[in-house]
């Protein structure tokens, strides 16, 4: 078992976040369906596949044998979902978080990519 240091705690937090986020694709699919850009086909299937990917990657981060591969997968996933985050900002409704929060999420993606990158070596 790994030592319980800041990096290990950070990894467990990341793994938990992605696992829960993936589960939410199935618990509240309407939210994810609504933020899908219209040019992406098969919205329901894409929401389900991205949910499965987040769950698998989140769980993969928990295990030393799959941690590096899962971290690279998280990076690719964050790049893949970036257009949906841009679309969400552009198509915001009153039910959504404030515009400033959706705008802040865009550069936050780069920090999340860096966070995942710290587990690729």
């Amino acid at each position: 078992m790994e030592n319980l240091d800041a990096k290990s705690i950070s990894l467990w937090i990341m793994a938990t976040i992605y696992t829960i986020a993936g589960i939410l694709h199935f618990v509240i699919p309407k939210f994810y369906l609504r933020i899908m850009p219209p040019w992406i086909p098969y919205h329901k299937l894409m929401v389900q596949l991205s949910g499965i990917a987040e769950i698998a990657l989140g769980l993969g981060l928990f295990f030393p044998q799959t941690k590096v591969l899962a971290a690279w997968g998280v990076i690719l996933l964050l790049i893949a979902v970036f257009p949906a985050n841009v679309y969400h900002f552009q198509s915001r409704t009153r039910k959504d978080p404030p515009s400033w929060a959706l705008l802040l999420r865009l550069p936050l993606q780069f920090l999340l990519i860096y966070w995942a990158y710290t587990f690729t070596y």
Side-chain angles (χ1 to χ4, degrees):
M1 184 166 184
E2 290 185 44
N3 294 333
L4 196 56
D5 57 8
K7 189 163 183 173
S8 296
I9 292 168
S10 173
L11 176 62
W12 279 75
I13 291 169
M14 176 183 278
T16 301
I17 288 170
Y18 284 102
T19 303
I20 291 170
I23 291 168
L24 288 176
H25 282 69
F26 298 95
V27 175
I28 53 170
K30 286 182 181 180
F31 170 79
Y32 296 95
L33 287 167
R34 200 183 59 62
I35 69 169
M36 289 289 289
W39 52 267
I40 294 178
Y42 310 108
H43 286 183
K44 185 176 180 182
L45 177 63
M46 292 300 156
V47 167
Q48 292 170 341
L49 291 176
S50 61
I52 290 168
E54 278 191 288
I55 293 167
L57 294 170
L59 293 175
L61 290 169
F62 281 111
F63 302 98
Q65 303 88 337
T66 55
K67 175 185 74 173
V68 171
L69 185 61
W72 281 114
V74 166
I75 292 167
L76 293 175
L77 181 71
L78 288 168
I79 292 168
V81 302
F82 190 77
N85 292 336
V86 171
Y87 179 74
H88 190 196
F89 170 70
Q90 292 173 335
S91 65
R92 181 190 172 276
T93 67
R94 282 183 273 154
K95 293 186 283 183
D96 289 320
S99 292
W100 66 264
L102 296 176
L103 184 61
L104 182 63
R105 182 170 70 172
L106 300 177
L108 181 63
Q109 293 283 117
F110 296 104
L111 290 174
L112 293 173
I113 288 169
Y114 175 75
W115 186 19
Y117 179 74
T118 65
F119 299 109
T120 62
Y121 47 89

